[in-house]
Amino acid sequence: MSGLAKRYGDFVALHETHLDIKAGEFVTLLGPSGSGKTTILMSIAGFVAPSSGQILLDGVDVTGLPPERRNFGVVFQGYALFPHLTVYDNVAFPLRARGIRGAAARPKIEAALEMAQLGAFAGRLPRQLSGGQQQRVALARSLVFEPELLLLDEPLSALDRALRKDFQSEFKAIHRQVGTTFIYVTHDQEEALTMSDRIVILDRGRILQCAPPAELYERPATEFVAGFLGKSNFLRGRIGRRADGLAEIAGPALTSWAAVGRQQDLGEGAQAVAALRPEKIRLHRTEPSADACSARGRVSELTYLGATCEVTLTLADGSQLAALMPAGAIALAEGDEIVASWAPDAAILVEPRAEPGR
Ligand SMILES: Nc1ncnc2c1ncn2[C@@H]1O[C@H](COP(=O)(O)OP(=O)(O)O)[C@@H](O)[C@H]1O
Ligand SMILES: [Mg+2]
């Protein structure tokens, strides 16, 4: 995708976007509702005509081609099955449309049904299937003609949580098996983290960051990314001393070291924000070691989450710090005075959240 943009009148649904996807990759577009995910996917599929920019497939410009000439598999929300056709005939449909019938089609259809674990349901009609099974038919139908690229737009949003988890591992397994490039759209961060080779984070029609899941989580570039992908504390203040890859950030309640990204060039005294994950924080009754960053506070809330416990500390200036402890790691009660500490490189300087507007 090169310079791809989409405007509806004065409204910019997608700002100029560049994105390179490698053959065989599993890439997820992740962002809140309205961030432009479907616009990108529909442009790639050919159902939305971009206002500017190009879509290149192996270097060939396909921007002007109608959807059927692109030969991409699509699993969209509401991209319904044919109600009057059996599962077998639904899956056979894309092959018939390409003139592949009978004995030439049969092994391909059977392989697709097998892959989607639908072998036993070939003779049923869509209304005789559960939601999850219907989604499997849509998947088998989109892969039966062995497309180079499979586009999936929130295919699991209508399913319940347990079923979604099953599908996540299944999508991953199928992706590995067929080797097709997958572009997957979701607003669910857990789905994105568990399945993707790379995640593209979108907000208000712009790509904010594009990286493998662990890198995105560990090194978020912006305040929005840190807050959208997992939970984060934000330390705000002014830049002070600098040391090897670190900068001191001094706020009203605490002073901390924070890791500085390669791109960041912050002078002393500049206003800055650092993201600090709750699980990077340790809680102590006694003073922490001298080389750690720390803050003193009062336990204002304890939330039991099963394996872990979320502790909210209120600091001297009234600001809050969330810490995530293994449950039972330290006996705490609301109102306890306690010290929180973290490693000097645990907090990461991030770009502050942009002002509202597109
Ligand atoms: N046909 C359209 N006309 C006007 N605005 C649209 C149209 N389609 C989408 N939009 C707007 O473009 C923005 C991005 O939409 P979309 O790509 O569907 O977001 P997402 O899939 O991330 O929820 C939204 O604000 C949406 O309202
Ligand atoms: Mg959408």
Side-chain angles (χ1 to χ4, degrees):
M1 261 161 53
S2 175
L4 196 74
K6 181 65 183 174
R7 287 177 294 277
Y8 292 102
D10 289 342
F11 180 76
V12 184
L14 187 67
H15 291 273
E16 254 189 46
T17 302
H18 302 273
L19 181 63
D20 280 320
I21 295 172
K22 290 191 273 295
E25 248 191 317
F26 194 132
V27 171
T28 298
L29 308 180
L30 175 68
S33 175
S35 56
K37 307 180 295 293
T38 296
T39 302
I40 293 181
L41 209 69
M42 291 295 227
S43 302
I44 297 173
F47 294 111
V48 161
S51 309
S52 58
Q54 292 177 313
I55 294 157
L56 305 170
L57 182 69
D58 296 330
V60 178
D61 188 349
V62 300
T63 321
L65 286 186
E68 64 277 9
R69 297 264 314 277
R70 301 190 187 196
N71 213 28
F72 299 156
V74 287
V75 183
F76 284 172
Q77 289 162 316
Y79 203 66
L81 302 174
F82 300 110
H84 57 287
L85 294 184
T86 62
V87 168
Y88 187 95
D89 288 335
N90 263 285
V91 175
F93 190 84
L95 294 176
R96 294 177 70 99
R98 289 166 175 78
I100 306 166
R101 289 158 200 266
R106 182 167 296 276
K108 290 180 192 288
I109 298 165
E110 282 170 356
L113 290 172
E114 186 65 28
M115 185 180 61
Q117 299 176 33
L118 286 167
F121 303 99
R124 292 210 196 167
L125 292 170
R127 65 178 148 79
Q128 298 167 318
L129 300 174
S130 70
Q133 289 162 343
Q134 291 184 26
Q135 200 49 263
R136 287 173 192 283
V137 180
L139 186 64
R141 186 178 62 176
S142 69
L143 283 169
V144 71
F145 57 98
E146 296 161 28
E148 272 180 84
L149 181 60
L150 182 64
L151 305 168
L152 305 110
D153 193 350
E154 311 221 15
L156 306 183
S157 55
L159 305 180
D160 64 46
R161 193 180 155 77
L163 214 48
R164 284 210 307 269
K165 291 216 78 138
D166 292 347
F167 263 105
Q168 287 167 25
S169 29
E170 210 174 309
F171 279 149
K172 244 167 92 170
I174 291 175
H175 173 252
R176 226 174 282 133
Q177 188 187 333
V178 299
T180 300
T181 309
F182 278 39
I183 306 181
Y184 190 98
V185 161
T186 184
H187 63 271
D188 182 318
Q189 40 164 294
E190 186 194 305
E191 243 172 68
L193 285 171
T194 53
M195 293 195 291
S196 324
D197 295 322
R198 277 194 304 158
I199 301 174
V200 178
I201 304 264
L202 283 152
D203 183 37
R204 292 179 285 176
R206 290 184 206 276
I207 292 182
L208 296 186
Q209 198 173 357
C210 174
E215 187 185 328
L216 214 51
Y217 189 83
E218 295 293 333
R219 311 280 322 181
T222 73
E223 186 178 343
F224 178 86
V225 172
F228 191 69
L229 203 70
K231 196 172 167 156
S232 196
N233 295 293
F234 292 104
L235 313 179
R236 291 167 210 281
R238 289 189 184 278
I239 296 291
R241 289 181 296 165
R242 297 292 292 259
D244 198 21
L246 299 171
E248 212 169 42
I249 177 166
L254 63 90
T255 295
S256 172
W257 288 103
V260 183
R262 251 167 291 144
Q263 320 288 335
Q264 289 159 334
D265 184 26
L266 289 163
E268 198 168 323
Q271 281 283 356
V273 184
L276 176 61
R277 298 284 186 199
E279 67 272 21
K280 305 265 188 194
I281 296 179
R282 301 278 162 270
L283 298 178
H284 323 255
R285 298 266 178 211
T286 53
E287 287 301 317
S289 72
D291 53 355
C293 303
S294 64
R296 207 171 260 287
R298 190 180 289 279
V299 175
S300 51
E301 203 181 331
L302 283 170
T303 309
Y304 176 68
L305 300 167
T308 55
C309 179
E310 190 180 300
V311 183
T312 306
L313 293 184
T314 297
L315 309 184
D317 71 331
S319 65
Q320 295 191 323
L321 203 59
L324 199 64
M325 306 276 99
I330 168 171
L332 286 175
E334 284 178 19
D336 284 2
E337 282 268 6
I338 202 139
V339 178
S341 79
W342 54 95
D345 62 351
I348 312 284
L349 282 179
V350 291
E351 198 178 300
R353 194 177 288 263
E355 295 302 312
R358 291 178 99 101

